[in-house]
Amino acid sequence: MKAFAALYAELDASTATSRKLEVLEHYLRHAPPADAAWAVYVLAGGKPRQIVPTRVLRSTAAEVAQLPDWLFDACYETVGDLAETIARLLPDASRRHDASLAEWMARLLALRGRTPEDVHAALKTAWSELDAPSRFVFNKLMTGGLRVGVSRLTVTRAIARVGGLEHPLVAQRLMGYTDANAQPDAQSYLALIAPVASEHAGMRTAGQPYPFFLAHALSEPPEQLGPPETWQIEWKWDGIRAQVVLETDRCWIWSRGEELVTERFPELVQAARDWVHQDPQRAQGVVLDGEILAWDTTADRPMQFAALQRRLHKRQLTPRLLREVPVVFVAYDLLQWSGSDWRERPLAERRAQLERQLGHGGSPRNAGQLGVSPLIPTEGVSWVALTEQRAASRALGVEGFMVKRRDSRYGVGRTRSDSGGMWWKWKVDPFSIDAVLIYAQRGHGRRASLYTDYTFAVWDHTVSAAPVLVPFAKAYSGLTDEEIRRVDAIVRKTTIESFGPVRSLSPTLVFELGFEGIAESPRHKSGIAVRFPRMLRWRTDKTPQQADSLQTLRTMLVSFQQPSTLPTMLCD
């Protein structure tokens, strides 16, 4: 654990990617394989499912530190990070236990499902055996908050250097490695760095997806892309990006976040199996890349993303939920066919084979259906005409266009070197509204001393003679560091009341918020929830009285909930 704690400290202290890559490579070369396996897991984004309830963690730490709960909570509010708060407050270790990272992870995982009394005793023992840096990292691993500014790409390149491999191959081997249910070990790490020449080293394991190829946002005029005929244009769906992996009679469904979500979509699994049985070549191995959508089969159009979230977050898939939120899979790429990797083939060839197997595209009409994402015609069409057609996206329940070079291969991630940046997402402009800042909360980690998390409100003119502000969104991104410092100073001057780390404020600041979607929400006082809210700009030119109203949001909601029917617009 000491070696990993030292690695964490070095990574945290460095801002240079080259330095992070250097220290990570050094650690992986010298760490025991079992330790390296866990280091790769957590640094690449893996998070074991919750091990210790936060309530038990806080109460045990307060007892060991001999502090009343109110004083522990006050310290936490000041520090802003639970793992760091505990590490700072606990007394020095009474004895040292120089166990490895893998051994400590085994001890941590053994706590899951234990009684609060057992967890309480185990935590006290663990904290008494760890020095301060190791204790901090141990707490981070336990809370699932180990973020140290290392990208998955950096981890991939470090592994590639250690193994003398190409980083796209390592990216492929890493797929599924960070699944929440995974328990990496020495063997799984050695498989990551195994030479290509070794037996089975270059082969995918059963059910393993390929690394997702991601698009860049198109910020320049589309005319700069050249003739539209050289591009394949599709609608940009608002669903869950997924790969359906089929081998013989088995089916796996992976989300872009590398979560295995097969059990959440049983009707898609059945449809995929039925499809495979129709052709022996399919049974040899097929991987489809596409989008899972909640589908209104009556109106023949996508449902809002909020409906799809119900399928992900409910513990049990009841018959009622399956009826209320039917799903379809819209495929837009073929990554593997008949057991062969097709990613190096041109997109036009992959698309042609996809259509031969699943049809020419069009609106799915039955729950559980596998379909093909329809194309937007580009022959003899100008970018001006395509821009006009794209403007109808929101009314159709989609987010805009995906623009892909017909000769592009299927790359890895979002690096421009892969296919030369030949995939673009051409989204419609976000919804926007001017809102008033009414609450502010301290940030976490390095921003624990600043108020960086904000709650915004709009005016409700219907509840009383005088309009009142009702909260509808929280946002923390979109401002520069300098703007955050200026807002922080105003927050401290305009505070009305404090509630732990949160302050209520006099309404003085107006911000333009952008968001991608809007839905009804009984959990919010305004009755409305927005998707992906962020601050577009600080409206220093507006007073709070000039901010928008709840009626404006409700008007947006009505238009967003009633998209046009899709068959005419979406079919080839």
Side-chain angles (χ1 to χ4, degrees), residues 170-186:
V170 177
Q172 179 177 326
R173 293 179 178 181
L174 270 175
M175 289 301 294
Y177 191 90
T178 55
D179 182 64
N181 293 316
Q183 292 197 21
D185 54 21

Side-chain angles (χ1 to χ4, degrees), residues 17 64 86 138 157 171 187 191 221 236 253 260 276 291 329 336 369 389 401 529 554:
T17 301
V64 174
I86 294 172
F138 176 80
R157 286 177 170 165
Q187 184 176 358
K236 187 181 187 307
I253 303 177
L260 193 58
V276 164
E291 202 93 4
F329 180 77
Q336 180 176 299
Q369 181 180 351
Q389 189 170 358
F401 284 159
R554 287 175 176 159

Side-chain angles (χ1 to χ4, degrees), residues 555-570:
T555 301
M556 291 180 179
L557 175 63
V558 171
S559 64
F560 191 66
Q561 285 182 326
Q562 298 178 346
S564 305
T565 54
L566 296 181
T568 301
M569 291 291 289
L570 290 188

Side-chain angles (χ1 to χ4, degrees), residues 204 210 243-246 285-289 333-336:
R204 295 164 58 251
Y210 289 104
Q243 286 183 28
V244 175
V245 181
L246 296 159
V286 175
V287 179
L288 304 172
D289 182 17
D333 215 328
L334 180 68
L335 311 188
Q336 180 176 299

Side-chain angles (χ1 to χ4, degrees), residues 79-100:
V79 175
D81 182 89
L82 182 58
E84 183 178 355
T85 302
I86 294 172
R88 288 180 178 275
L89 291 178
L90 297 184
D92 292 337
S94 58
R95 59 186 185 277
R96 299 294 172 86
H97 191 295
D98 195 20
S100 67

